[in-house]
């Protein structure tokens, strides 16, 4: 009888991490995988060979980790996110597996440069901003903490876009990050699931007379898996990120092809595979909206089918599901997973409604990232029921049962029913995805203290009253492995040389730096490391945009998605005010380089207009000899993870200036402070907790707090009064409106200024005077480099609580029910 291959005990030679083993592996990978020899190999060939060397060692640990998870049969954590901004993986893999210095030495012996080879790796275009980077940090921490963690998302072929600046304006280009292949992923053509759209629902009575449903006449797309190993630090744990690529059920219509109709022959294939082409298609069009909803359902349906397939390999009782799996919804994008799991449990696996709902509610938890009504995701009922007819029925049923409970609690209160309903009736009927996520989850977390407080007090007040204890706070964090150790090797080496390297896995160890803030020698070394980082960034700016900047000037940094609530325009108003003071002869101005970076969504016209304004101002300021040594304005195009790793270690000042009550948490504020930048910010998001950690004397707070914002708006805010009362503000706005910075098109920015004077929804003019005053305080402190360095060191020293290891330990204890000892 032929032996079952699954019963074979397969022994393989574990790859060593010493110099000789690495050299042998590199030669083999270059020869047998890349198909080159050292004579013909390009830098990209060497990068791929080296990546395969690292991947081999990841794969060994990965398979051992997966086998141990099956042996343990412990609870698995599934993190659902439309974005995973994992960045480059070469150095991260080497660092977490502990052989980066051996690799660097080997490459030196071969005449190769690791820093040059790492530049051959494109950033994985799997996200856009903080949401995706947070997800990547969480995967790193889950692996480092040894949690049975998996990520699920979409394998975008082109990501969001590559940003270039032409004539000052953002221009979007496809981000073809897979052009040269991805050495980190493993394709899994055998892991493929059908995903349905459209069609209709047939209702019938089953053998026991129970009402049942069958989704028929639907279009199908196939979801194929691609796996990427995610290593933990120093523990040989390698978890999995599974991304789905859309495939057509049939390659093309051979009959049409043979008739010569080549375009129509592949039309269905192209339409199917569009689902995983681009992150966040422009949803200002009806086709864009449809594609975006289909993307969301595509990835959650395939993921849930995969999860249930894995569960059913070793279990038969669905009541055990909440004991074996937990699913975290990263924002509302994956919230359609709630009705999808109900569909799978009831329609496919025959569970009754009550049991299925109890299982579903105990499996899901939801992370809320915004309170702004315009950012809370909704879908028109007519669109939803056309694309996902069965899910619309299920949502109606969920809402019916939920509102029945609400009615029993608040009899006769129609207003509370209207406010809490999953279906919004204002204007066109729509599905409120945040309401669905709250109702369908056992825990809902805000991502900072103030954000959670505002959730409970404002937009989700009714839900907090109805589900006491369901809404909790777990403040975001970032991985120190990437954002300090890898981003800032100079500072990391300085820290480790004084307190050891245990901080890499236990960030609270940084508190040992507190006494060193008063050590003159340490401060001098700290200043030298910062200056070297600034010189490195200056070289990057020169190479990318051809602008020379002075490393001795203050590097004033605002790097984030371009959005009105993040208030890049307020920063611009300070730049113009500062420019005018120099022009008017104000003495003793601190030299400053103001650095912007970020992308605007392709359909967000105002944000793109702000980018244009920044670049127009930069053109005038940077070419004005009167201000040459004192002020420069820089917009670094195509801001991504790799660019952030260059900017953040060089920053002196971190601009975190969103309107109070609008930024859920922010993580850029944490990364910058962790690298010794002082925060200039409002009392918004995690800024409040950073102030608690580092001390108000070691950062610069300005502007209205959340209650002040509410009072300002409710008392009849009149922004024009600030314009008429403040001469410097009036001068800055008039220059922008009248074309000082856009002489070839004098009225280009009039609409921006008119919007501020008439509406100013995010209260820039209300906070302007306080912001300018805070900037003057910043200047005064920067004039004393030694005192500034002391404050910067204390910022680094007190950032221990902002590690994503702490965040994930709290998730494990307070949401996922793993009851682990908290990360210290």
């Amino acid at each position: 009888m032929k032996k079952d291959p699954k019963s074979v005990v397969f022994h393989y030679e574990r790859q060593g991490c010493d110099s000789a083993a690495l050299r042998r592996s590199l030669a083999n990978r270059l020869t047998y995988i890349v198909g080159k020899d050292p004579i013909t190999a390009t830098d990209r060939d060497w990068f791929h060979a080296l990546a395969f060397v690292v991947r081999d060692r990841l794969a060994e640990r990965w398979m051992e980790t997966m086998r141990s998870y099956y042996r343990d049969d412990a609870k698995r954590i599934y993190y659902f996110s439309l974005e995973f901004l994992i960045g480059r993986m070469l150095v991260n893999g080497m660092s977490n597996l502990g052989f980066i210095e051996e690799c660097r030495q080997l490459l030196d012996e071969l005449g190769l440069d690791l820093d040059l080879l790492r530049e051959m790796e494109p950033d994985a275009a799997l996200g856009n901003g903080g949401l995706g980077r947070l997800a990547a940090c969480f995967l790193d921490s889950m692996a480092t903490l040894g949690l049975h963690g998996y990520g699920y998302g979409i394998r975008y072929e082109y990501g969001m876009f590559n940003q270039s600046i032409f004539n000052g304006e953002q221009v979007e280009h496809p981000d073809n990050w897979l052009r040269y292949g991805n050495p980190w992923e493993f394709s899994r053509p055998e892991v493929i699931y059908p995903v349905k759209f459209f069609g209709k629902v047939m209702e019938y009575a089953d053998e026991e007379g129970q009402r049942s449903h069958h989704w028929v006449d639907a279009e199908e797309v196939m979801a194929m898996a691609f796996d990427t190993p995610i290593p933990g630090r120093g523990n040989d744990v390698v978890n999995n990120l599974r991304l789905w690529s859309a495939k057509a059920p049939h390659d093309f219509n051979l009959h049409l092809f043979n008739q010569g109709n080549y375009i129509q022959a592949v039309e269905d294939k192209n339409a199917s595979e569009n689902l995983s082409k681009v992150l966040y298609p422009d949803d200002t069009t009806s086709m864009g909206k449809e594609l975006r909803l289909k993307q969301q359902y595509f990835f959650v349906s395939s993921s849930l089918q995969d999860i249930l397939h894995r569960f059913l390999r070793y279990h038969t009782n669905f009541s055990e599901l909440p004991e074996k799996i937990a699913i975290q919804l990263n924002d509302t994008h994956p919230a359609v997973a709630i009705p999808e799991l109900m569909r799978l449990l009831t329609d496919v696996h025959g569970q009754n409604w009550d049991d299925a709902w109890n299982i579903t509610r105990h499996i899901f938890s939801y992370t809320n990232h915004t309170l702004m009504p315009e950012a809370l995701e909704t879908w028109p009922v007519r669109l939803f029921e056309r694309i996902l007819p069965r899910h619309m029925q299920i949502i109606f049923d969920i809402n019916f049962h939920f509102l029945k409970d609400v009615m029993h609690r608040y009899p006769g209160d129609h207003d509370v029913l209207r406010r809490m309903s999953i279906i919004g009736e204002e204007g066109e009927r729509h599905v409120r995805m945040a309401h669905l996520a709250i109702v369908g989850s056992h825990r809902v977390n805000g991502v900072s203290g103030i954000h959670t407080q505002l959730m409970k007090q404002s937009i989700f007040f009714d839900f907090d009253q109805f589900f006491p204890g369901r809404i909790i706070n777990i403040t975001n964090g970032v991985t120190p492995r990437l954002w300090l150790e890898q981003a800032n090797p100079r500072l990391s080496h300085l820290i480790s040389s004084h307190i050891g390297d245990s901080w890499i896995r236990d960030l609270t160890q940084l508190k040992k730096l507190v006494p060193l803030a008063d050590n003159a020698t340490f401060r001098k070394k700290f200043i030298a490391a910062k200056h070297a980082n600034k010189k490195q960034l200056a070289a990057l700016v020169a190479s990318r945009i051809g602008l020379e900047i002075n490393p001795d000037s203050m590097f004033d940094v605002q790097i984030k998605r371009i959005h009105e609530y993040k208030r890049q325009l307020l920063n611009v108003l300070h730049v113009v005010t500062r420019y005018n003071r120099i022009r008017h002869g104000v003495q003793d101005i601190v030299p400053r380089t103001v650095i912007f970076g970020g992308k605007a969504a392709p359909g967000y016209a105002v944000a793109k207009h702000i980018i244009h304004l920044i670049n127009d101002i930069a053109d005038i300021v940077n070419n004005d000899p009167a201000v040459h040594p004192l002020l420069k304005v820089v917009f670094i195009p195509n801001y991504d993870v790799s660019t952030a790793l260059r900017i953040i270690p060089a920053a002196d000042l971190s601009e975190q200036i969103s309107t109070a009550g609008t930024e859920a948490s922010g993580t850029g504020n944490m990364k910058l402070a962790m690298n010794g930048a002082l925060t200039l910010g409002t009392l918004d998001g995690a800024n409040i907790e950073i102030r608690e950690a580092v001390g108000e004397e070691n950062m610069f707070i300005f502007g209205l707090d959340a209650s002040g914002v509410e009072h300002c708006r409710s008392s009849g805010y009149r922004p024009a009064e600030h314009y008429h009362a403040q001469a410097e503000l009036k001068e800055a706005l008039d220059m922008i409106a009248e074309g000082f910075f856009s002489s070839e098109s004098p009225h280009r920015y009039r609409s921006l200024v008119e919007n501020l004077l008439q509406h100013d929804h995010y209260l820039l003019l209300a906070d302007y005077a306080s912001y300018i005053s805070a900037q003057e305080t910043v200047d005064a402190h920067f004039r004393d480099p030694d005192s500034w360095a002391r404050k910067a060191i204390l910022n680094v020293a007190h950032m221990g609580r902002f590690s994503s290891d702490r965040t994930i330990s709290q998730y494990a204890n307070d949401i996922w029910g793993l009851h682990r000892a908290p990360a210290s």
Side-chain angles (χ1 to χ4, degrees):
M1 179 182 290
K2 189 174 181 180
K3 192 167 188 176
D4 180 0
K6 292 183 179 174
S7 68
V8 174
V9 178
F10 191 62
H11 295 284
Y12 56 87
E13 180 182 348
R14 183 149 182 165
Q15 302 290 304
C17 295
D18 58 279
S19 182
L22 292 170
R23 186 185 188 102
R24 187 164 53 251
S25 291
L26 185 62
N28 287 339
R29 295 301 160 264
L30 184 66
T31 303
Y32 300 123
I33 304 297
V34 179
K36 291 286 189 75
D37 62 19
I39 298 172
T40 59
T42 65
D43 287 339
R44 180 165 281 106
D45 294 328
W46 282 111
F47 157 69
H48 277 96
L50 185 59
F52 287 125
V53 168
V54 177
R55 193 182 79 161
D56 287 348
R57 286 148 181 81
L58 288 173
E60 295 168 340
R61 293 158 176 81
W62 189 23
M63 286 184 266
E64 290 168 6
T65 299
M66 294 300 115
R67 284 194 291 268
S68 74
Y69 290 174
Y70 280 107
R71 285 196 304 270
D72 296 346
D73 193 27
K75 192 171 191 177
R76 301 183 189 224
I77 313 305
Y78 298 106
Y79 197 83
F80 280 23
S81 180
L82 263 186
E83 298 185 40
F84 287 96
L85 262 178
I86 55 178
R88 296 169 173 171
M89 297 188 64
L90 181 67
V91 170
N92 185 70
M94 293 176 182
S95 297
N96 279 2
L97 294 185
F99 59 85
I100 187 170
E101 291 309 319
E102 289 81 357
C103 274
R104 192 181 295 277
Q105 180 182 343
L106 169 62
L107 294 174
D108 285 344
E109 292 170 1
L110 297 173
L112 298 167
D113 183 348
L114 176 58
D115 293 330
L116 179 63
L117 296 187
R118 70 192 292 187
E119 293 301 315
M120 294 294 105
E121 181 177 5
D123 274 38
L126 299 171
N128 173 39
L131 188 83
R133 188 50 240 175
L134 181 74
C137 286
F138 282 6
L139 292 186
D140 175 270
S141 286
M142 280 192 268
T144 297
L145 294 173
L147 296 181
H148 298 34
Y150 295 72
Y152 274 111
I154 295 178
R155 179 183 180 265
Y156 301 105
E157 189 173 338
Y158 294 105
M160 192 174 181
F161 59 83
N162 258 319
Q163 179 197 58
S164 65
I165 302 299
F166 182 73
N167 290 334
E169 297 185 81
Q170 171 178 291
V171 180
E172 300 100 22
H173 307 277
D175 187 356
N176 192 5
W177 69 288
L178 294 170
R179 177 188 293 113
Y180 301 107
N182 179 5
W184 305 109
E185 69 182 5
F186 292 82
S187 64
R188 305 295 191 199
E190 76 283 2
V191 181
I192 192 161
Y193 297 99
V195 179
K196 295 180 178 181
F197 301 101
F198 306 111
K200 60 186 179 183
V201 180
M202 303 294 292
E203 187 174 320
Y204 64 96
D206 64 14
E207 296 172 352
E208 299 177 359
Q210 298 296 315
R211 187 178 69 158
S212 299
H213 299 85
H214 189 38
W215 187 4
V216 299
D217 299 336
E219 296 179 9
E220 268 191 9
V221 174
M222 307 307 293
M224 179 176 139
F226 287 78
D227 289 344
T228 300
I230 305 294
R233 178 55 175 261
N235 59 1
D236 282 349
V237 170
V238 179
N239 283 340
N240 193 38
L241 170 60
R242 175 159 285 181
L243 303 174
W244 300 104
S245 181
K247 303 294 181 184
H250 310 288
D251 278 340
F252 66 95
N253 188 317
L254 184 60
H255 176 68
L256 289 173
F257 187 86
N258 288 335
Q259 289 181 334
N261 195 341
Y262 307 125
I263 294 176
Q264 193 175 346
V266 297
E267 190 173 44
D268 289 343
K269 178 179 187 294
N270 291 339
S272 296
E273 297 182 359
N274 279 341
L275 283 177
S276 56
K277 289 286 186 191
V278 179
L279 168 69
Y280 297 147
D282 183 359
D283 61 359
T284 59
T285 67
S286 58
M287 290 182 64
K289 283 187 173 69
E290 178 177 309
L291 180 56
R292 192 157 174 172
L293 178 57
K294 289 172 73 175
Q295 271 190 341
Q296 294 180 8
Y297 177 65
F298 166 78
F299 112 76
V300 302
S301 176
S302 48
S303 301
L304 287 170
Q305 290 181 70
D306 195 45
I307 289 168
L308 291 181
H309 172 78
R310 188 177 297 118
F311 172 81
L312 290 171
R313 288 177 65 182
Y314 296 97
H315 305 88
T316 57
N317 188 346
F318 280 99
S319 65
E320 296 177 0
L321 262 174
E323 300 168 21
K324 296 301 178 184
I325 72 171
I327 299 175
Q328 189 72 35
L329 304 175
N330 191 24
D331 213 347
T332 55
H333 308 129
V336 71
I338 292 168
E340 170 65 358
L341 183 56
M342 287 294 293
R343 184 189 72 84
L344 291 170
L345 291 175
T346 57
D347 296 0
V348 177
H349 295 287
Q351 301 295 297
N352 68 59
W353 177 274
D354 290 340
D355 289 344
W357 181 242
N358 187 55
I359 290 167
T360 297
R361 193 170 48 80
H362 283 90
I363 283 173
F364 285 109
S365 47
Y366 157 55
T367 302
N368 174 271
H369 289 280
T370 184
L371 295 178
M372 293 189 291
E374 66 272 20
L376 289 169
E377 192 171 44
T378 64
W379 294 105
V381 167
R382 58 174 174 76
L383 175 69
F384 206 105
E385 65 186 352
R386 183 171 64 86
I387 297 174
L388 301 171
R390 178 62 182 131
H391 299 77
M392 193 68 255
Q393 290 181 344
I394 291 171
I395 290 171
F396 280 140
D397 286 343
I398 291 171
N399 199 41
F400 171 79
H401 291 291
F402 169 60
L403 291 183
K404 192 174 179 181
D405 291 340
V406 174
M407 183 176 63
H408 290 157
R409 177 82 66 87
Y410 305 109
D413 192 339
H414 298 294
D415 281 342
V416 77
L417 289 173
R418 175 184 54 78
R419 293 195 303 267
M420 298 183 74
S421 174
I422 296 170
I423 306 299
E425 304 288 348
E426 307 83 6
E428 183 178 12
R429 294 180 81 208
H430 53 276
V431 184
R432 298 160 162 167
M433 301 306 285
H435 289 205
L436 175 63
I438 293 172
V439 172
S441 298
H442 69 281
R443 283 287 183 274
V444 177
N445 71 286
V447 290
S448 71
I450 183 64
H451 176 68
T452 306
Q453 178 184 330
L454 291 172
M455 285 173 67
K456 294 179 176 183
Q457 292 175 351
S458 59
I459 198 162
F460 299 131
F461 171 81
D462 293 318
F463 290 96
D464 185 54
Q465 296 296 301
F466 191 78
F467 299 119
R470 182 168 295 191
I471 299 176
I472 64 172
N473 174 61
I474 300 180
T475 298
N476 283 343
V478 302
T479 170
R481 267 83 57 188
L482 179 66
W483 293 110
L484 182 50
E485 184 198 21
Q486 293 173 41
N488 200 340
R490 295 181 180 91
L491 179 57
S492 297
H493 293 155
L494 177 62
I495 293 170
S496 296
S497 68
H498 284 76
I499 67 170
D501 64 3
S502 61
W503 61 268
I504 297 170
R505 284 182 56 112
D506 176 9
L507 200 62
T508 62
Q509 294 297 313
L510 290 180
K511 64 180 177 289
K512 294 177 182 178
L513 295 174
V514 170
L516 291 170
D518 293 317
N519 182 306
T521 303
F522 186 83
R523 288 199 303 273
K524 185 176 180 180
K525 291 178 180 178
F526 184 92
I527 291 170
K530 176 68 74 173
H531 193 263
N533 291 335
K534 292 171 73 173
K535 289 175 67 176
Q536 191 173 31
L537 179 58
L540 176 74
V541 170
S543 67
R544 285 206 186 174
I545 63 174
L547 180 68
E548 300 293 329
I549 59 176
N550 180 9
D552 294 324
S553 66
M554 180 197 302
F555 280 13
D556 173 355
V557 170
Q558 188 177 21
I559 42 174
K560 52 188 73 237
R561 178 167 51 94
I562 308 298
H563 197 290
E564 290 165 276
Y565 86 85
K566 295 180 182 288
R567 301 207 293 189
Q568 284 90 353
L569 264 180
L570 182 58
N571 194 346
V572 165
L573 290 175
H574 167 249
V575 169
V576 177
T577 300
R578 194 175 195 88
Y579 175 63
N580 287 334
R581 287 184 179 183
I582 298 170
R583 291 170 62 237
H584 298 332
V586 174
Q587 300 299 307
D588 200 23
I589 297 284
V590 172
R592 194 182 293 218
T593 301
V594 182
I595 299 171
F596 295 90
K599 295 178 180 180
Y604 192 176
V606 174
K608 295 173 82 168
H609 216 36
I610 291 169
I611 290 176
H612 198 178
L613 175 60
I614 292 169
N615 283 291
D616 275 351
I617 290 173
D619 183 57
I620 296 298
V621 170
N622 297 341
N623 290 288
D624 188 339
V627 302
H628 171 67
L630 298 176
L631 182 62
K632 293 285 186 184
V633 180
V634 180
F635 188 94
I636 299 178
N638 206 42
Y639 179 68
D640 56 15
V641 173
S642 295
T643 306
L645 293 173
R646 300 284 192 87
I647 297 173
I648 288 171
D652 294 307
L653 186 68
S654 165
E655 299 261 2
Q656 307 297 328
I657 60 176
S658 54
T659 311
T662 60
E663 186 72 81
S665 167
T667 53
N669 46 8
M670 303 170 189
K671 297 162 192 168
L672 284 152
M674 195 178 287
N675 281 272
L678 272 58
T679 302
L680 169 63
T682 52
L683 289 174
D684 195 27
N687 291 353
I688 296 172
E689 287 153 86
I690 291 175
R691 181 184 66 165
E692 293 170 359
V694 308
E696 190 164 359
E697 68 279 9
N698 294 314
M699 60 189 298
F700 308 96
I701 297 296
F702 76 94
L704 299 168
D705 61 12
S707 62
V709 167
E710 178 61 30
H711 179 264
C712 181
R713 286 173 174 162
S714 63
S715 60
Y717 174 51
R718 291 178 289 276
E721 291 181 358
H722 294 276
Y723 168 80
H724 291 295
Q726 300 174 60
E728 286 189 316
L729 173 60
K730 183 177 186 300
E731 182 182 22
L733 287 171
D734 287 348
M735 290 170 69
I736 294 170
E738 294 169 7
F740 183 93
F741 301 104
S742 55
S743 57
E744 74 283 8
S745 180
H747 304 309
R748 179 178 292 159
Y749 302 113
R750 180 161 291 177
S751 62
L752 275 180
V753 173
E754 287 177 350
N755 183 61
L756 288 177
L757 295 177
Q758 295 170 16
H759 307 290
D760 191 19
H761 181 70
Y762 295 107
L763 306 186
L764 281 71
L765 306 194
D767 276 349
Y768 170 83
S770 177
Y771 181 56
I772 297 300
S773 176
Q775 292 282 14
E776 292 167 353
T777 304
V778 168
D779 282 346
H781 283 276
F782 195 74
R783 290 188 182 97
D784 184 347
D786 205 46
S787 173
W788 185 278
R790 183 181 182 278
K791 292 176 183 292
I793 293 165
L794 290 173
N795 268 262
V796 177
H798 290 296
M799 291 307 291
R801 71 162 82 169
F802 300 105
S803 168
S804 53
D805 296 348
R806 183 271 311 156
T807 308
I808 289 300
S809 290
Q810 283 188 263
Y811 271 86
N813 286 320
D814 300 341
I815 295 180
W816 301 330
L818 299 183
H819 308 297
R820 294 174 55 85
S824 55

